[in-house]
């Protein structure tokens, strides 16, 4: 996993050199029946924050050496210092750029899903309840145990007459549902399309990825957030798992979420996979060629996607029990006012050449985030993101908290918990620009199991855990859950989406309390950007990560605007 991330980031750096030659690199200033359904969810037990073998860092962490005094909050100088002038802030909306930016004051039913296994349960439950349609859209969809479980459930839905569609981003290095799998899915009655299939040698256009995560059932119920489809998102990987967050939504905005899927599905940069053709042998002296061997291996692997598998059956039983328990940790609640925002599909390097027009027409989620920051931030804002790099969004945030004397609590990964070493190197420099400020507190995750949810496998609990959720708590009754990372790829290249809720202290507490549980298992940083308890934050990272951290410090800063 870590090697894959490293390969992708180094590929991006090489691409950037070519893009710079062509003059298109963005400057830093532009960054069913009862027999087929799961047990009906019962119980409304609300999870409450509890420490799991650690003392709450936010309450008790103290430095044994006198820390440098923190400074009053101020706007940080530098390349982004005045960039917020380019962030449009709109008045409250009832349909600005529909379906990409919409708001509703009609009550919506929402459920926050903090547990990975609970979130997998939710997906299977939605598939089994579907009567007309299921649409799924993901950046990553791996045919591992959880992926095959989902696909098998989708096949059963298709057999009931449900229309099933899957769209997955086709970025080399992350893409797994190749044309061989597409053949098997089509035979099972499942449609599949690929977003932006440009190869890496098409340097410019291959940068524009679809990072959205969306599932819509019958056009009436949606599930979105930070999770892709792979074992590590559902508490099932034996070495490394993500702590993430999703939300289920029922109400007016779902039809707009559905319409964005339709628009992406029909985008001119989306392809329908063709039937793979076995290559002609290029060297027959030793029998079949390497190309033919690889083709046959891929075809055979794909043909097993619906085959009976004891491990898939075991996980299904676990999810039906422990996933249900985790699902019920947070109840369904009512949100009186909801917004949905998504970036527009179809952008390529051609559209991005005119940066101002590109930002206005395509980067719509950022505009909605700016509006919510303007309207909602008052006393304290809590940010949870797997990555934290300086951008227009962060600088606008700090302008607002300066004006309103608000506090910021940032929660992100340490080198130990991160899946992206290059970003960890730049984070160290970035966060030290903010840690001296008296209204800023940063927490980085230790990489240990937080104790949340119901994970029955001890080996999994003892593995490494990293933060992958993308959430902002604006105040005591307003929050955002989506796919947007606080980094430059989410800001400029990747299409993203998010759901916003205001007026529900209870739903906001479901998000905030879970973040606090995770913070309790984190290092709190002092004014120098080091752990307040004087521990070595990198000590448990492992030799490979520590070596790569040192080797990539300079290169990562050179390509920071691409991370």
């Amino acid at each position: 996993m870590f090697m894959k991330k490293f390969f992708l980031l180094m590929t991006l750096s090489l691409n950037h050199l070519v893009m710079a030659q062509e003059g298109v690199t963005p400057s830093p200033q532009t960054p069913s029946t009862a027999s087929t359904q799961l047990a009906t969810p019962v119980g409304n037990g609300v999870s409450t924050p509890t420490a799991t073998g650690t003392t709450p860092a936010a309450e008790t962490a103290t430095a044994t050496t006198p820390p440098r005094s923190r400074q009053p909050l101020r706007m940080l100088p530098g390349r982004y210092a005045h960039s917020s002038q380019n962030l449009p802030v709109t008045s409250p909306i009832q349909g600005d750029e529909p379906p990409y930016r919409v708001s509703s004051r009609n009550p919506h039913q929402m459920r926050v899903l903090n547990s990975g296994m609970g979130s997998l349960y939710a997906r299977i439950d939605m598939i089994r309840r579907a009567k007309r349609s299921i649409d799924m859209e993901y950046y990553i969809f791996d045919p591992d145990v959880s992926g095959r479980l989902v696909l098998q459930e989708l096949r059963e839905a298709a057999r009931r007459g449900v229309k099933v569609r899957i769209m997955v981003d086709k970025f080399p290095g992350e893409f797994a549902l190749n044309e061989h799998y597409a053949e098997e899915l089509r035979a099972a009655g499942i449609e599949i399309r690929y977003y932006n299939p440009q190869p890496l040698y098409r340097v410019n256009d291959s940068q524009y990825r679809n990072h959205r995560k969306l599932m819509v059932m019958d056009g009436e119920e949606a599930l979105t957030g930070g999770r892709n489809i792979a074992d590590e998102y559902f508490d099932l990987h034996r070495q490394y798992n993500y702590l993430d967050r999703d939300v289920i939504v029922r109400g007016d905005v779902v039809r707009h979420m559905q319409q964005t899927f339709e628009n992406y599905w029909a985008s001119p940069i989306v392809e329908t996979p063709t039937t793979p053709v076995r290559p002609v042998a290029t060297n027959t002296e030793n029998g079949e060629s390497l190309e033919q061997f690889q083709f046959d291996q891929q075809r055979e692997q794909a043909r097993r996607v619906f085959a009976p598998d004891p491990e898939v059956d075991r996980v299904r039983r676990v999810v039906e029990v422990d996933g249900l328990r985790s699902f019920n940790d947070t109840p369904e609640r009512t949100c009186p006012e909801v917004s949905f925002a998504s970036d527009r599909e179809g952008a390529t390097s051609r559209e991005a050449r005119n940066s101002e027009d590109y930002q206005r027409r395509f980067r719509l989620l950022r505009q909605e985030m700016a509006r919510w920051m303007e309207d909602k931030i008052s006393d304290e804002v809590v940010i949870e993101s797997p990555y934290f790099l300086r951008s227009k969004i962060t600088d606008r945030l700090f302008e607002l908290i300066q004006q309103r004397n608000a506090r910021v609590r940032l929660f992100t990964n340490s080198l130990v918990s991160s899946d992206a070493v290059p970003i960890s190197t730049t984070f160290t420099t970035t966060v030290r620009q903010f840690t001296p400020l008296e209204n800023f507190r940063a927490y980085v995750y230790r990489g240990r199991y937080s104790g949340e949810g119901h994970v029955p496998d001890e080996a999994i609990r003892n593995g490494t855990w990293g933060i992958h959720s993308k959430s902002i708590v604006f105040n005591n009754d307003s929050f955002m859950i989506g796919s947007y990372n606080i980094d430059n790829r989410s800001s400029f290249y990747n299409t993203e989406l998010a759901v916003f809720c205001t007026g529900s202290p209870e739903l906001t507490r479901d998000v905030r309390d879970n973040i606090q549980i995770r913070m309790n298992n984190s290092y709190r940083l002092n004014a120098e950007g080091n752990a307040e308890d004087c521990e070595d934050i990198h000590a448990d990272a492992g030799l490979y990560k520590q070596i790569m951290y040192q080797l990539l410090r300079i290169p990562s800063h050179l390509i920071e605007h691409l991370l």
Side-chain angles (χ1 to χ4, degrees), residues 38-156:
L38 291 175
T40 303
V42 295
N44 288 333
V46 183
S47 60
T48 56
T50 56
T52 57
T54 60
T55 304
E59 304 297 331
T60 63
T62 57
T64 57
T65 58
R68 190 173 76 221
S69 60
R70 296 183 182 268
Q71 302 300 316
L73 196 60
R74 67 188 188 283
M75 187 59 205
L76 296 173
R79 57 183 176 173
Y80 296 113
H82 305 290
S83 60
S84 62
Q85 296 173 0
N86 298 324
L87 269 179
V89 178
T90 68
S91 58
I93 56 176
Q94 292 297 327
D96 181 13
E97 296 283 350
Y100 303 99
R101 290 181 68 196
V102 294
S103 292
S104 173
R105 290 187 170 88
N106 292 328
H108 285 61
Q109 298 305 115
M110 302 178 70
R111 184 191 295 262
V112 176
L113 301 172
N114 296 311
S115 158
M117 193 165 290
S119 192
L120 180 57
Y121 170 90
R123 285 165 168 83
I124 295 173
D125 181 55
M126 288 175 67
I127 293 171
R128 294 185 179 180
R129 288 188 289 110
K131 295 180 175 61
R132 299 186 303 275
S133 64
I134 301 168
D135 295 318
M136 302 184 79
E137 178 183 345
Y138 288 97
Y139 178 60
I140 296 171
F141 199 128
D142 284 351
D144 53 12
V145 173
S146 61
R148 281 179 284 145
L149 173 55
V150 170
L151 290 174
Q152 290 179 14
E153 295 287 341
L154 289 172
R155 179 184 62 174
E156 295 306 308

Side-chain angles (χ1 to χ4, degrees), residues 347-560:
T348 64
S349 59
R350 181 190 309 176
E351 288 77 16
R353 288 179 187 273
N354 185 335
S355 180
E356 183 177 347
D357 183 65
Y358 172 67
Q359 300 286 349
R360 178 180 58 82
R361 292 180 55 221
F362 289 91
R363 311 309 299 173
L364 300 174
L365 175 56
R366 252 183 29 179
Q367 297 174 31
E368 186 68 7
M369 290 172 66
R371 183 178 77 89
W372 277 70
M373 289 192 300
E374 286 279 353
D375 292 349
K376 303 302 180 184
I377 291 177
S378 55
D379 180 56
E380 180 183 74
V381 58
V382 181
I383 302 170
E384 183 179 22
S385 174
Y387 320 116
F388 180 77
L389 298 176
R390 195 168 175 188
S391 67
K392 292 181 179 181
I393 285 291
T394 59
D395 281 356
R396 182 58 187 147
L397 171 65
F398 279 90
E399 284 184 353
L400 288 169
I401 62 176
Q402 178 188 29
Q403 297 165 5
R404 301 172 187 184
N405 196 30
R407 299 184 302 275
V408 176
R409 287 197 294 158
L410 168 69
F411 178 51
T412 189
N413 281 304
S414 67
L415 178 63
V416 177
S417 63
S418 179
D419 64 350
V421 177
I423 294 179
S424 293
T425 66
T426 57
F427 169 75
T428 301
T429 302
T430 300
V431 77
R432 286 174 177 170
Q433 301 174 53
F434 297 95
T435 49
L437 308 181
E438 62 182 10
N439 284 16
F440 179 86
R441 293 292 182 272
Y443 304 80
V444 294
Y445 198 58
R446 292 177 179 264
R448 303 169 185 168
Y449 174 53
S450 64
E452 62 189 271
H454 304 275
V455 181
D457 193 309
E458 183 178 0
I460 293 175
R461 291 198 302 270
N462 292 335
T464 302
W465 294 72
I467 301 303
H468 196 262
S469 39
K470 307 96 166 44
S471 304
I472 300 177
V473 178
F474 299 101
N475 55 40
N476 288 331
D477 72 354
S478 305
F479 64 90
M480 177 195 97
I481 295 175
S483 66
Y484 185 96
N485 296 317
I486 309 297
D487 65 14
N488 294 307
R489 293 208 62 80
S490 284
S491 182
F492 189 87
Y493 293 105
N494 296 341
T495 60
E496 310 285 0
L497 57 70
V499 170
F500 303 76
C501 168
T502 188
S504 175
E506 297 81 12
L507 280 165
T508 305
R509 194 178 305 118
D510 289 340
V511 178
R512 186 194 292 267
D513 285 357
N514 182 251
I515 296 175
Q516 184 62 58
I517 289 173
R518 298 172 182 181
M519 283 184 176
N520 293 344
N521 288 272
S522 304
Y523 300 101
R524 174 170 160 174
L525 304 185
N526 60 21
E528 289 80 12
N530 301 316
E532 285 196 343
D533 56 9
C534 297
E535 289 188 58
D536 181 359
I537 295 175
H538 298 167
D540 295 330
L543 182 60
Y544 166 76
K545 272 191 172 182
Q546 293 189 48
I547 292 174
M548 296 308 298
Y549 179 87
Q550 297 301 327
L551 291 177
L552 295 175
R553 293 181 72 172
I554 295 177
S556 296
H557 282 82
L558 294 176
I559 61 166
E560 180 178 349

Side-chain angles (χ1 to χ4, degrees), residues 259-274:
Q259 187 58 53
T260 64
F261 176 90
E262 299 289 350
N263 293 353
Y264 273 71
W265 185 260
S267 171
I269 67 170
V270 167
E271 76 169 10
T272 300
T274 58

Side-chain angles (χ1 to χ4, degrees), residues 180-181 288 290-304:
H180 297 280
Y181 284 101
E288 72 177 357
L290 177 60
E291 293 84 357
Q292 290 175 321
F293 174 77
Q294 292 173 335
F295 179 94
D296 293 342
Q297 289 287 100
Q298 292 174 353
R299 181 176 59 185
E300 183 58 31
Q301 187 176 38
R303 285 176 173 175
R304 294 196 295 266

